[in-house]
Amino acid sequence: PGATEVCNGIDDDCDGAVPVDELDTDGDGVAACEGDCDPADGDVFPGADEVCNGIDDDCDGDIDEDGDDLDGDGYSCDDCDDTDATVYPGAPEDCDGVDDDCDGVIDNGAGSTADLGVAAGYNVFVFGDLAAAYDIGGKAAAGGDVDLQYFSVGHQDPGGDALVAGGDFNLDDGSVHGNGVYGGSANVSGSVTFLAGGSLQAGSPIDFAAAEAALQATSTALGSQAATDATVVQPWNGIDLEGFEPGLNVFHVNGADLSAAVEIRLSVPADSSVLVNVTGTSVTAASMGFSYSGVDATNVLFNFTQATSLTLEAIGFQGSILAPWADVSFNNGNIDGQLIAASLVGTGEPHWVPFDGGLTGAPCAEICDGLDNDGDGDIDE
């Protein structure tokens, strides 16, 4: 009695109990007093194999120590190539014959990341003329002339270059909430005001030709993606789009079906992204309702891959529109989203609801290498 308790698994002081730190409580052969830094986990003890799990498995004070982060990408033990900073868990998968995201699959159909490029900051972005009499909530840019009367531009996203024309300005009786920048000449009446610190300026801040080529390429790449889920056209001309992907849900819609549709009903996982590829050279969306579950207009992009003519009439369109070859006529309604097109006329109102979904470009091309490059489940088909 009164003896000093030591790490031996014995009741040295005869008090009727062996201290818990002398017991092998997790059955790994090592007690806490012998250096077991987690006596509740049988896989953690001095001498255990260190694995990449965020735990000090071998109780030496270092976690997941299998070397330094040699390439500086923030990953070491779970980096499948610690000599390449573009390769790490969760990296974008590119068509390069490399397992960029360290998921064990090479070129697994992810393709490259796609975005709206220079048009991303604009409510309306057209490569030709913009001629209308309406309000545009966000910024607007046109590669050709801008003709506006009784208008307001940029009040939902004021400041900066709110209205840009590669050609001429013909503006009457309206307001620009930021700078008005023109590349040709300016015919601006005294009833036009520039607000939010803006002014009328001559300049060419946007390369519209380059933007047109890039956005047409993006539309083509997005349009080549296989549908992840089916499109169901109801006998009463409703279109049902039901997706199950937590990331990007891709649907294909025939332009003739969209032109006849009275409603689009969309249901996808919460906070996922939606790409609707629409075929057909001449498409109309008129007097149509939208019902979305899981997402709202910020997550949805309608990609008109073939349209040279797009008519929007008496509609509250929900989602952004990428139609880089289409001359758009838009009357009697609004768009909650962005509009990218060849040209735009009409009296409809675009509201500044920027696209915030995630997109990928074209799948990798299938080549004879023993891999499923395009992610369709077939190898070297």
Side-chain angles (χ1 to χ4, degrees), residues 207-365:
D207 186 340
F208 285 98
E212 181 176 18
L215 287 162
Q216 287 178 346
T218 295
S219 178
T220 298
L222 294 174
S224 70
Q225 294 201 78
T228 58
D229 299 283
T231 296
V232 178
V233 180
Q234 302 291 353
W236 46 272
N237 290 331
I239 297 177
D240 288 341
L241 307 175
E242 185 176 12
F244 304 94
E245 301 295 325
L248 178 62
N249 296 269
V250 181
F251 301 94
H252 290 182
V253 174
N254 186 287
D257 292 330
L258 183 64
S259 296
V262 298
E263 184 180 20
I264 290 180
R265 299 189 300 188
L266 170 68
S267 177
V268 292
D271 300 322
S272 62
S273 300
V274 178
L275 170 64
V276 182
N277 286 319
V278 183
T279 58
T281 58
S282 181
V283 184
T284 296
S287 303
M288 179 193 305
F290 293 81
S291 176
Y292 291 173
S293 174
V295 296
D296 57 25
T298 62
N299 303 76
V300 181
L301 177 68
F302 286 81
N303 178 32
F304 293 81
T305 61
Q306 301 169 340
T308 56
S309 174
L310 175 60
T311 300
L312 306 174
E313 186 76 32
I315 192 170
F317 201 96
Q318 297 294 300
S320 292
I321 294 174
L322 175 60
W325 291 275
D327 294 316
V328 177
S329 176
F330 176 30
N331 290 290
N332 302 325
N334 62 271
I335 298 174
D336 285 349
Q338 297 173 254
L339 173 62
I340 300 169
S343 66
L344 174 63
V345 297
T347 59
E349 293 188 5
H351 297 162
W352 179 232
V353 181
F355 177 71
D356 192 35
L359 299 172
T360 55
C364 303

Side-chain angles (χ1 to χ4, degrees), residues 49-320:
D49 292 331
E50 189 70 42
V51 295
C52 191
N53 57 6
I55 296 173
D56 179 15
D57 302 278
D58 58 5
C59 297
D60 67 350
D62 294 319
I63 296 175
D64 298 340
E65 71 279 5
D66 68 339
D68 297 325
D69 178 13
L70 302 178
D71 55 13
D73 58 11
Y75 297 85
S76 56
C77 68
D78 49 356
D79 192 340
C80 53
D81 185 349
D82 208 20
T83 64
D84 187 340
T86 66
V87 176
Y88 54 86
E93 187 70 43
D94 293 324
C95 301
D96 56 5
V98 175
D99 179 15
D100 302 280
D101 57 5
C102 295
D103 67 351
V105 183
I106 296 174
D107 292 348
N108 52 326
S112 57
T113 301
D115 58 44
L116 300 181
V118 67
Y122 290 88
N123 204 163
V124 172
F125 192 97
V126 298
F127 313 121
D129 294 337
L130 170 60
Y134 52 28
D135 290 344
I136 301 174
K139 295 175 171 59
D145 298 336
V146 173
D147 293 273
L148 298 175
Q149 187 177 25
Y150 309 120
F151 69 94
S152 174
V153 175
H155 58 277
Q156 293 176 323
D157 184 28
D161 293 340
L163 182 62
V164 179
D168 300 337
F169 269 167
N170 294 293
L171 309 178
D172 184 31
D173 202 358
S175 58
V176 179
H177 294 255
N179 298 321
V181 186
Y182 60 94
S185 61
N187 178 18
V188 179
S189 74
S191 58
V192 174
T193 57
F194 294 88
L195 306 174
S199 63
L200 181 64
Q201 304 175 7
S204 300
I206 299 173
D207 186 340
F208 285 98
E212 181 176 18
L215 287 162
Q216 287 178 346
T218 295
S219 178
T220 298
L222 294 174
S224 70
Q225 294 201 78
T228 58
D229 299 283
T231 296
V232 178
V233 180
Q234 302 291 353
W236 46 272
N237 290 331
I239 297 177
D240 288 341
L241 307 175
E242 185 176 12
F244 304 94
E245 301 295 325
L248 178 62
N249 296 269
V250 181
F251 301 94
H252 290 182
V253 174
N254 186 287
D257 292 330
L258 183 64
S259 296
V262 298
E263 184 180 20
I264 290 180
R265 299 189 300 188
L266 170 68
S267 177
V268 292
D271 300 322
S272 62
S273 300
V274 178
L275 170 64
V276 182
N277 286 319
V278 183
T279 58
T281 58
S282 181
V283 184
T284 296
S287 303
M288 179 193 305
F290 293 81
S291 176
Y292 291 173
S293 174
V295 296
D296 57 25
T298 62
N299 303 76
V300 181
L301 177 68
F302 286 81
N303 178 32
F304 293 81
T305 61
Q306 301 169 340
T308 56
S309 174
L310 175 60
T311 300
L312 306 174
E313 186 76 32
I315 192 170
F317 201 96
Q318 297 294 300
S320 292

